[in-house]
């Protein structure tokens, strides 16, 4: 079974600084997707960034970028120029072929990020 | 609607009662998922629908939990004889189909069992 581990329950960063959130996963598959989702207090889960395992190039979306190390099964999220609106729970997630072909997302337990003014 | 809609937003019930939670996915999305999120925890997969069928029910925690989907659209998650440990936010998500990778989530239904 696939597992996703986020070892940092809470983190804080000063506004405009850079922060990196860690994520490791375990799978025997060779092709899969990895995601970072953001969940602000409103509860709405929002996709931040996506990485396809067969692509070696790290994904980037504006201030958000990932460091994908396939051999190490590591997928960290870097947030540059942190903004107050980045305060949220961040979940790392894995998607691969599973029972019934569901490609369900398996989530980590999350990292609570607080951006301080 | 433009997004995934869930109702009720909040539900308080007494132990032993049955509850129904509703999810209206994005129009045209064939795949629908239910997740459970306990306070301060990550998301636990419950069930996956492709169209009206549920090929993956592996996450349903007990036979008190069931779900159906009709017309390839609206889904209902039913919890019978609720217990206090059922208290959680129940999130629904939909996607256009396999290999898209991205799930679109609703805001969830917060269930509190007294």
């Amino acid at each position: 079974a696939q597992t996703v581990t986020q070892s940092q329950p809470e983190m804080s960063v000063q506004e405009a600084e850079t922060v990196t959130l860690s994520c490791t996963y375990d799978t025997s598959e060779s092709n899969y997707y990895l995601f970072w989702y953001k969940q602000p207090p409103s509860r709405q889960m929002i996709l931040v960034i996506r990485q396809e395992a067969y692509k070696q190039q790290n994904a980037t979306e504006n201030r958000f970028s990932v460091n994908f190390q396939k051999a190490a099964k590591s997928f960290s999220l870097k947030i540059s120029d942190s903004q107050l609106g980045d305060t949220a729970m961040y979940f790392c997630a894995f998607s691969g072929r599973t029972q019934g072909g569901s490609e369900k997302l398996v989530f980590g337990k999350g990292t609570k990020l607080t951006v301080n003014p | 609607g433009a997004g995934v809609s869930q109702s009720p937003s909040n539900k308080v019930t007494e132990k032993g009662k049955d509850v129904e939670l509703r999810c209206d996915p994005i129009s045209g999305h064939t795949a629908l998922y239910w997740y459970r999120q306990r306070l301060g925890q990550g998301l636990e997969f419950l069930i996956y629908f492709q169209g009206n069928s549920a090929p993956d029910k592996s996450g349903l925690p007990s036979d008190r939990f069931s779900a159906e989907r009709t017309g390839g659209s609206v889904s209902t998650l039913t919890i019978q004889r609720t217990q206090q440990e059922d208290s959680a936010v129940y999130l629904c998500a939909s996607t256009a189909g396999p290999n898209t990778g991205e799930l679109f989530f609703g805001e969830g239904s917060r269930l509190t069992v007294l």
Side-chain angles (χ1 to χ4, degrees):
Chain A
Q2 295 94 355
T3 59
V4 177
T5 302
Q6 294 180 248
S7 59
Q8 305 150 315
E10 293 191 41
M11 293 191 72
S12 63
V13 64
Q14 293 299 121
E15 196 174 7
E17 297 289 307
T18 295
V19 64
T20 299
L21 308 183
S22 301
C23 173
T24 59
Y25 60 95
D26 189 21
T27 183
S28 58
E29 298 183 35
S30 59
N31 193 23
Y32 47 86
Y33 293 94
L34 293 163
F35 307 86
W36 280 97
Y37 276 84
K38 169 184 176 181
Q39 187 180 42
S42 68
R43 297 201 311 238
Q44 183 92 51
M45 294 281 284
I46 303 165
L47 178 67
V48 174
I49 198 164
R50 167 176 51 196
Q51 175 80 42
E52 295 169 70
Y54 67 87
K55 290 186 177 180
Q56 293 188 337
Q57 186 173 3
N58 289 325
T60 300
E61 287 287 340
N62 300 315
R63 299 182 295 106
F64 299 87
S65 62
V66 300
N67 183 3
F68 174 47
Q69 302 289 329
K70 190 172 184 179
K73 297 180 181 175
S74 170
F75 183 62
S76 61
L77 174 70
K78 185 171 82 171
I79 306 174
S80 304
D81 185 26
S82 297
Q83 300 176 1
L84 296 179
D86 295 333
T87 293
M89 283 289 289
Y90 286 81
F91 292 97
C92 179
F94 169 101
S95 174
R97 281 285 176 183
T98 54
Q99 178 178 333
S102 67
E103 298 189 2
K104 66 190 179 191
L105 265 64
V106 176
F107 286 85
K109 292 188 181 299
T111 296
K112 182 178 180 180
L113 176 67
T114 301
V115 180
N116 298 309
Chain B
V4 177
S5 178
Q6 291 188 247
S7 61
S9 180
N10 287 285
K11 174 73 175 178
V12 180
T13 190
E14 294 180 346
K15 179 181 173 181
K17 301 278 189 177
D18 297 352
V19 296
E20 283 190 355
L21 308 177
R22 175 190 167 106
C23 172
D24 199 344
I26 293 172
S27 178
H29 279 190
T30 58
L32 186 148
Y33 301 76
W34 283 98
Y35 283 84
R36 178 171 71 179
Q37 185 178 26
R38 290 194 166 115
L39 184 64
Q41 300 296 311
L43 278 69
E44 301 172 71
F45 169 78
L46 296 178
I47 188 169
Y48 156 73
F49 287 93
Q50 180 59 42
N52 290 336
S53 64
D56 189 352
K57 306 178 183 179
S58 62
L60 293 178
S62 75
D63 59 8
R64 296 187 296 104
F65 287 73
S66 63
E68 65 175 12
R69 189 178 184 195
T70 56
S73 180
V74 172
S75 176
T76 302
L77 176 68
T78 301
I79 308 173
Q80 295 178 310
R81 305 181 302 281
T82 52
Q83 303 294 313
Q84 288 184 333
E85 63 261 28
D86 299 335
S87 295
V89 174
Y90 290 83
L91 290 164
C92 176
S94 69
T95 185
N99 299 320
T100 62
E102 178 179 1
L103 298 189
F104 294 85
F105 283 85
E107 294 189 356
S109 293
R110 182 181 299 279
L111 174 65
T112 302
V113 183
L114 301 177

